Amino acid sequence: MRPVLITGDHPGTARAVATELGVIGPEDPVADCRVPHDVADSAGTAVFARATPAQKLDIIQAMRERGEVVAMTGDGVNDGPALRRSDIGVAMGRRGTEVARQAADLVLADDDLGTVVAATEEGRRVYGNIRRFLVYALSGGAAEIAVMLLGPPFGLALPLLPAQILWINLITHGLPGVALGGEPVEPGAMDRPPRPPTESIMGAGLWQRVLRIAVVLTAVTIGVAVWAHHTGHPWQSMAFLALGATQLAVAIGSRSRPGSWSNPMLLVAVASALALQLAGLYLPPLRDLLGTEPLTIAEVGVVFGLSVLGYVAVRLDRILHPAPLTRSNE
């Protein structure tokens, strides 16, 4: 985020205010809008003095044409056109005029510009959590489809029953999915450049990440089922547990701050979902409903040991395929 001061004051006053606020350094230039050359060569300029309302519009338009996302703050009648022209118009709620408030997209109730920074951080947290949930939910859904399609070629006539798939969807996309929305902001989120307005929410490598994680989920589930089928173990029940447990491991690996106690509700949600998954194997009413068989401790241990690969896949994918810090990425 780059602060820019546009004011009708004299350049000397504008320089003093901008220097005190840390917008510019003592030796940085100040554009005088009464001089056409200063406005024309304004790329990178942080302070514009003696600007008219029309020149404010020109400056904002020039920024937008350079691909910048412009948030304009103002409180006066003369700020109305500029607030409307900018990508995000922000009016002062206390001292702002009615014209400014009506022209703006947002109104600062406390007139504190620090609230804009806090709101931007919160917006990045929410957007990041939406993408986090999409990776979690879509990779799991893609894996479920892949398991059903790839099972027969591997000798698994019906890898999972319809009721088992519904049960997995219920426990994985329920509480854990909701809890992922409570993840705190990632460290360094405010150091990233803004996303391009035209970028899809599935952009910046998200759908590729979904596919890579789905491959791991599919491989674990099919691998467990094929091994169990050839060794005389209840392979369908083991596949049922493996697909659910590996998805829950992905939820743990998707945390914004792994290894910390932030968002304890996610840990509770995953533990509850895992308990329900095991209940589907050991409670007689659920066994009858889902068509499962109880597993031995050794069989559960094999499934849990391989399910850790879901966690590893998410963490390793972030290391091997990080989003580069450019304007074309989040």
Side-chain angles (χ1 to χ4, degrees):
M1 297 175 65
R2 181 171 68 92
V4 177
L5 175 63
I6 309 175
T7 177
D9 293 331
H10 189 273
T13 303
R15 177 181 293 279
V17 172
T19 302
E20 181 179 352
L21 294 176
V23 176
I24 60 173
E27 304 300 325
D28 292 331
V30 173
D32 188 341
C33 293
R34 300 292 178 91
V35 181
H37 177 77
D38 282 4
V39 179
D41 298 336
S42 61
T45 303
V47 179
F48 298 87
R50 300 203 296 180
T52 65
Q55 287 172 325
K56 290 182 180 180
L57 290 175
D58 293 339
I59 295 168
I60 290 173
Q61 186 61 33
M63 291 179 177
R64 296 185 66 187
E65 290 176 355
R66 291 195 295 268
E68 299 188 56
V69 178
V70 181
M72 168 74 183
T73 62
D75 57 8
V77 174
N78 291 338
D79 293 324
L83 290 170
R84 179 63 65 182
R85 176 70 61 85
S86 60
D87 294 291
I88 307 169
V90 184
M92 300 296 120
R94 293 181 180 176
R95 66 176 184 271
T97 63
E98 184 64 24
V99 172
R101 290 197 295 267
Q102 290 296 326
D105 301 293
L106 301 174
V107 177
L108 283 180
D110 57 4
D111 285 10
D112 184 358
L113 293 179
T115 303
V116 176
V117 179
T120 302
E121 184 178 60
E122 176 65 9
R124 293 191 172 192
R125 184 190 75 85
V126 172
Y127 189 83
N129 285 345
I130 292 174
R131 287 170 58 88
R132 188 170 287 110
F133 173 77
L134 287 175
V135 171
Y136 170 63
L138 294 180
S139 63
E144 292 168 9
I145 296 173
V147 166
M148 298 302 294
L149 293 177
L150 296 177
F154 282 94
L156 310 174
L158 186 61
L160 294 170
L161 299 176
Q164 294 172 350
I165 295 176
L166 291 175
W167 183 259
I168 292 172
N169 280 331
L170 177 65
I171 67 169
T172 58
H173 296 175
L175 289 177
V178 173
L180 275 175
E183 281 294 293
V185 66
E186 291 186 4
M190 293 299 286
D191 296 328
R192 295 198 302 263
R195 293 174 292 101
T198 57
E199 181 183 280
S200 166
I201 194 169
M202 293 294 292
L206 191 75
W207 69 266
Q208 294 94 329
R209 179 167 293 174
V210 168
L211 293 180
R212 288 191 294 265
I213 295 174
V215 167
V216 174
L217 298 178
T218 304
V220 169
T221 304
I222 292 292
V224 166
V226 170
W227 173 83
H229 182 64
H230 285 85
T231 55
H233 296 278
W235 62 268
Q236 192 176 66
S237 294
M238 292 185 70
F240 167 74
L241 179 60
L243 185 55
T246 311
Q247 288 188 56
L248 294 176
V250 170
I252 295 295
S254 299
R255 301 178 67 198
S256 61
R257 302 183 182 185
S260 71
W261 287 102
S262 61
N263 192 16
M265 287 306 300
L266 178 61
L267 303 178
V268 173
V270 169
S272 301
L274 187 59
L276 288 172
Q277 185 79 351
L278 291 172
L281 296 171
Y282 296 107
L283 292 184
L286 288 179
R287 288 210 312 266
D288 295 338
L289 176 66
L290 300 175
T292 58
E293 302 176 46
L295 302 180
T296 66
I297 294 179
E299 291 166 343
V300 171
V302 169
V303 172
F304 281 0
L306 292 174
S307 297
V308 174
L309 293 175
Y311 176 90
V312 174
V314 177
R315 302 315 307 173
L316 193 60
D317 193 83
R318 289 179 172 270
I319 297 173
L320 297 179
H321 304 280
L325 294 179
T326 66
R327 285 202 49 103
S328 62
N329 291 282
E330 181 189 2

